[in-house]
Amino acid sequence: MIESPHRMWQRIVAEIPSRHFPPGDMVSQFLTGYRAELADFADTRRQYPLRYLEVGCRLGHSLATVMLASGGFVRATVVDMWIEGYGDEPNPGPTAVLAHLDALGADRQHVEFFVGDSHKIIPGLRGPYDLILVDGDHTAEGAEADIRDCARLLQKDGLMVFDDAVEPLL
C-alpha cells in the first residue's frame, strides 16, 4: 500500500464526512470494519486492473478505500438507488461521489454507475469481478438475492465482502 491505512482513512473521512465516522479513533474505525479487508485485497492486486463491484455506495467511503488502496488501477461498477436521506444522511448520488474521488486524487476514469434496484441491475451484469462488496438491500430476502446474484459474478480467486448481515441469513 502506498500510504498507511490510517492516513488513507483519515483522508477519506476528512473528504467524506459522515455521522457514522465521527472524529476520534480513526485507526480502529478503519481496522475493525470491512474496509480494511477491501484495502488489503485491493493492495495485493496492484499488478493488474482490479475489477470491483460495489452494491450500495451512498457517500463513497468503500469505493474510495478500494481506489486508493489499489493505486487507482480499478475498473469499478457501482450499483445504488441513491435514496434521499438513506441512513439519516445525505445520499447525493454519483456526481458527488466522483467529486470526492477527484478531491482524494483517485483515478475515477473507469468507474461506471448504475442507478436503480440491484435486483434488476445485477442479473444483467457480466463478470467476473475480483472484489465484490454487497451493502445494498438490507432485508433478509433482498440481501440473500444480492449475495446469490453477485456470487455468480465473482472471479474464482476473488473476494466477496458482505455488510449488514441480518439474523436469518447467518
Side-chain angles (χ1 to χ4, degrees):
M1 208 173 291
I2 294 173
E3 66 184 319
S4 75
H6 177 256
R7 175 67 187 125
M8 181 180 68
W9 187 241
Q10 273 185 316
R11 289 194 317 117
I12 291 169
V13 172
E15 173 56 34
I16 312 171
S18 168
R19 71 178 184 82
H20 296 284
F21 306 115
D25 185 3
M26 292 199 202
V27 173
S28 43
Q29 286 177 15
F30 179 78
L31 295 177
T32 59
Y34 61 85
R35 287 176 189 86
E37 295 298 321
L38 296 175
D40 287 345
F41 189 85
D43 184 47
T44 65
R45 301 296 176 106
R46 283 179 170 272
Q47 67 273 18
Y48 64 93
L50 176 72
R51 294 212 48 218
Y52 175 58
L53 171 60
E54 183 167 303
V55 182
C57 181
R58 192 169 42 159
L59 299 173
H61 293 96
S62 299
L63 179 61
T65 299
V66 170
M67 299 292 287
L68 294 176
S70 71
F73 209 36
V74 177
R75 296 190 189 292
T77 302
V78 179
V79 179
D80 200 309
M81 292 177 72
W82 273 283
I83 299 168
E84 189 171 332
Y86 181 81
D88 298 326
E89 286 197 300
N91 205 4
T95 303
V97 172
L98 289 173
H100 292 311
L101 293 176
D102 287 343
L104 289 164
D107 179 4
R108 47 84 158 218
Q109 177 179 339
H110 300 288
V111 179
E112 181 177 22
F113 290 95
F114 290 90
V115 179
D117 186 340
S118 61
H119 307 304
K120 294 177 182 170
I121 294 170
I122 294 172
L125 295 178
R126 295 180 60 202
Y129 290 94
D130 305 296
L131 178 60
I132 299 175
L133 170 63
V134 179
D135 188 14
D137 189 329
H138 298 285
T139 66
E141 299 81 18
E144 184 176 18
D146 279 342
I147 291 171
R148 184 180 50 253
D149 291 342
C150 287
R152 71 171 182 77
L153 298 171
L154 188 61
Q155 179 76 14
K156 192 173 193 171
D157 64 343
L159 175 69
M160 182 173 3
V161 176
F162 181 77
D163 184 39
D164 294 328
V166 290
E167 189 74 28
L169 293 179
L170 300 176

